[in-house]
Amino acid sequence: MTVTEFLSIAKESQYNLLDIYSKAPNESLIIVGVVLFILFVVYFFIRRSVKISAAIKLVDQIQDSKSYDEYNERITLLVEELPKRGVKVSEVLNASKNHILLRTSKLLINFNITEKIDKYLEVTEKYEQLSKASIKYNNKELTEFYKSKSEELLDVNLNEEIAYYYQNTYFNIDEVNNVNAIVKYANTLDNPSLILKPMIGIMNKFSYGYNLELFKFIEKLDDKESKQIYENCHKKIEDLLTRGNEEVSINILDYLLEKDEKEKVYNYITSLKLASYLQQLHDLYFNKKEDINLDLAFIANETKINANYKAYLDESLTSNWRDSNHIEFLSKAPGVLEVLGHMEFRTLIERIDNISLEKENRKMVEEALTIAKRAESIALEAKSLNKKPIIVPATNNKI
């Protein structure tokens, strides 16, 4: 059947589809199929055009994002759409790429350094994906832009953010999480020292001996979370408290005493070589804290200062003359022999021996008395038994 004949049948049937189909079923199906195909193609192009328009609009929306979350949601969608929406979208994105980058920088300004590290890593990943997604469109400018910016964001921008942080931060316990985040990020790099070495250099400019807030910050550091920073700071504190070449403020020493970390204070005072500062600490602490170990730390220090340690020891020994444990404890303390002199020290040892002998003799006397009392008790018991009459049982005699 020709097209003319089919149209004639359609006219005669007054374009009734059922009537047309009954008279020319094969031709009707063909026509319907062609129409459906045309409609599908039209729908496809309309839908594609709508998707492309939406993607182009999305590029504009990214530039107008009011928050980072809004920005991130939109750029994530763009990463999915770019490979599917054709050259036009890549061209629009290429024209807007610098504006989008500027918007990214503005949205990251108000985050703390921990959040910035997370966001920069997130943005970098999206830029890498945009670079790969644009390759199919042969837009070299766009591809290279997002590839280079994905590297620059970390190597330049984030490094500058971190440097600004540690150059302008007063380290206290509130900064522990931020420092941990920096160390964690740095240790993902091929060369962590590019970040951590200058950061440690800045931190080492602080006064470890007079900055109580820094001291508390260091206490909160974790050897795993902040590895290199932890090692550096704890080494500085250990040297400070053991080498005796630097002053440790009274605030820090009081803090350690209150925290019951007294051994650190004792060791510091014993090793301190600065005579003027040792004198200051002596005047403040010696024989004023009711802490004999603290007092003995001063006596153990060989640095010469204005101090009457002998009077202190004489008073302590006199007050505890019958306490062998106290006397023996003092006798074994470093520096006591040098203060008392050999003669008095020998007398001290003899006193310990005499007290021990007295205790031993007293113990022997007490044991003898105990035995005597026991013997007396046994004797009294025996005497009591002897005074009792002997009763012979009666017997029946038969005559």
Side-chain angles (χ1 to χ4, degrees):
M1 182 181 293
T2 63
V3 174
T4 303
E5 291 173 335
F6 180 79
L7 292 175
S8 177
I9 291 173
K11 186 175 181 181
E12 291 174 1
S13 304
Q14 296 182 348
Y15 301 102
N16 186 310
L17 295 178
L18 293 176
D19 195 19
I20 295 172
Y21 179 74
S22 65
K23 294 177 181 179
N26 293 333
E27 288 77 2
S28 298
L29 290 174
I30 292 172
I31 294 300
V32 169
V34 171
V35 171
L36 289 176
F37 176 74
I38 292 172
L39 290 174
F40 176 78
V41 170
V42 171
Y43 171 77
F44 172 79
F45 279 105
I46 292 175
R47 186 173 182 275
R48 185 171 183 274
S49 178
V50 170
K51 291 283 188 180
I52 291 173
S53 297
I56 292 172
K57 185 178 180 181
L58 182 61
V59 173
D60 293 332
Q61 289 174 336
I62 291 173
Q63 301 176 66
D64 299 327
S65 298
K66 297 296 187 294
S67 68
Y68 176 81
D69 289 339
E70 190 176 64
Y71 162 87
N72 187 54
E73 181 181 349
R74 290 170 176 174
I75 202 166
T76 299
L77 182 57
L78 181 62
V79 167
E80 297 174 359
E81 292 294 312
L82 182 59
K84 302 181 287 186
R85 301 301 165 222
V87 175
K88 181 64 176 176
V89 177
S90 70
E91 290 174 348
V92 172
L93 178 60
N94 188 48
S96 304
K97 60 184 183 296
N98 287 308
H99 295 289
I100 292 175
L101 179 62
L102 181 61
R103 172 56 56 181
T104 304
S105 300
K106 288 183 177 180
L107 292 173
L108 291 174
I109 287 175
N110 294 324
F111 288 113
N112 64 41
I113 193 62
T114 297
E115 294 168 326
K116 282 181 179 179
I117 290 172
D118 291 337
K119 305 308 182 190
Y120 268 100
L121 290 172
E122 201 168 43
V123 171
T124 294
E125 183 181 7
K126 296 296 188 300
Y127 276 25
E128 287 176 352
Q129 291 170 341
L130 287 174
S131 176
K132 292 177 182 177
S134 65
I135 291 175
K136 63 183 294 186
Y137 302 120
N138 295 319
N139 191 331
K140 187 175 181 181
E141 181 182 348
L142 182 64
T143 301
E144 288 299 323
F145 175 84
Y146 278 111
K147 181 181 179 182
S148 63
K149 291 304 175 183
S150 67
E151 297 170 354
E152 186 179 313
L153 281 171
L154 297 183
D155 296 343
V156 178
N157 297 60
L158 181 55
N159 281 5
E160 289 178 353
E161 293 279 10
I162 292 173
Y164 181 83
Y165 166 79
Y166 61 69
Q167 289 169 1
N168 296 276
T169 295
Y170 184 78
F171 292 96
N172 54 44
I173 56 177
D174 294 331
E175 301 301 327
V176 171
N177 289 336
N178 287 329
V179 170
N180 288 346
I182 292 173
V183 174
K184 181 180 179 181
Y185 167 68
N187 284 328
T188 64
L189 306 177
D190 293 334
N191 188 1
S193 64
L194 290 177
I195 290 176
L196 298 181
K197 186 176 180 180
M199 182 175 176
I200 289 172
I202 292 293
M203 293 183 71
N204 285 347
K205 292 181 180 180
F206 285 87
S207 172
Y208 283 75
Y210 273 84
N211 192 328
L212 180 58
E213 291 302 313
L214 178 64
F215 193 88
K216 292 178 179 180
F217 160 81
I218 294 169
E219 285 186 318
K220 291 291 183 180
L221 293 176
D222 181 83
D223 61 337
K224 294 180 180 178
E225 292 289 328
S226 52
K227 182 175 170 46
Q228 293 94 325
I229 302 296
Y230 174 93
E231 291 173 355
N232 170 76
C233 291
H234 276 264
K235 181 65 167 57
K236 294 282 288 185
I237 294 296
E238 182 182 357
D239 290 347
L240 189 69
L241 293 173
T242 58
R243 289 189 176 180
N245 297 319
E246 297 182 60
E247 295 182 4
V248 175
S249 77
I250 293 166
N251 288 336
I252 292 178
L253 296 178
D254 283 342
Y255 171 73
L256 290 172
L257 290 172
E258 290 169 7
K259 279 192 64 186
D260 205 25
E261 294 187 26
K262 298 179 180 180
E263 285 295 332
K264 292 180 179 179
V265 179
Y266 303 157
N267 292 336
Y268 173 70
I269 290 173
T270 299
S271 61
L272 186 59
K273 300 179 180 67
L274 306 175
S276 60
Y277 193 56
L278 181 63
Q279 183 71 58
Q280 184 178 342
L281 294 180
H282 168 275
D283 296 344
L284 180 69
Y285 288 135
F286 187 75
N287 201 20
K288 293 180 175 66
K289 292 288 187 178
E290 296 184 357
D291 183 345
I292 190 171
N293 290 298
L294 181 61
D295 298 334
L296 290 175
F298 285 98
I299 294 174
N301 192 313
E302 297 179 357
T303 304
K304 302 301 180 183
I305 60 173
N306 183 21
N308 193 351
Y309 294 143
K310 188 174 186 307
Y312 170 85
L313 292 174
D314 288 341
E315 181 182 351
S316 180
L317 290 169
T318 302
S319 301
N320 299 276
W321 190 239
R322 301 194 65 80
D323 186 345
S324 62
N325 290 330
H326 179 81
I327 297 173
E328 186 173 4
F329 174 72
L330 286 183
S331 71
K332 293 180 178 179
V336 171
L337 170 61
E338 288 75 11
V339 171
L340 293 179
H342 288 279
M343 292 299 294
E344 288 196 35
F345 191 78
R346 187 177 300 117
T347 302
L348 185 65
I349 298 302
E350 290 175 357
R351 179 58 185 163
I352 295 172
D353 292 338
N354 290 335
I355 291 175
S356 298
L357 185 59
E358 287 176 10
K359 285 184 176 180
E360 188 175 343
N361 291 337
R362 191 181 300 115
K363 183 179 179 181
M364 291 174 62
V365 170
E366 288 174 354
E367 288 176 352
L369 287 173
T370 300
I371 293 171
K373 287 179 179 180
R374 180 60 181 161
E376 182 182 4
S377 175
I378 293 172
L380 290 173
E381 187 177 343
K383 185 176 181 181
S384 175
L385 289 173
N386 290 334
K387 289 182 177 180
K388 289 181 179 180
I390 300 174
I391 301 174
V392 179
T395 59
N396 293 326
N397 295 324
K398 293 182 180 181
I399 300 176

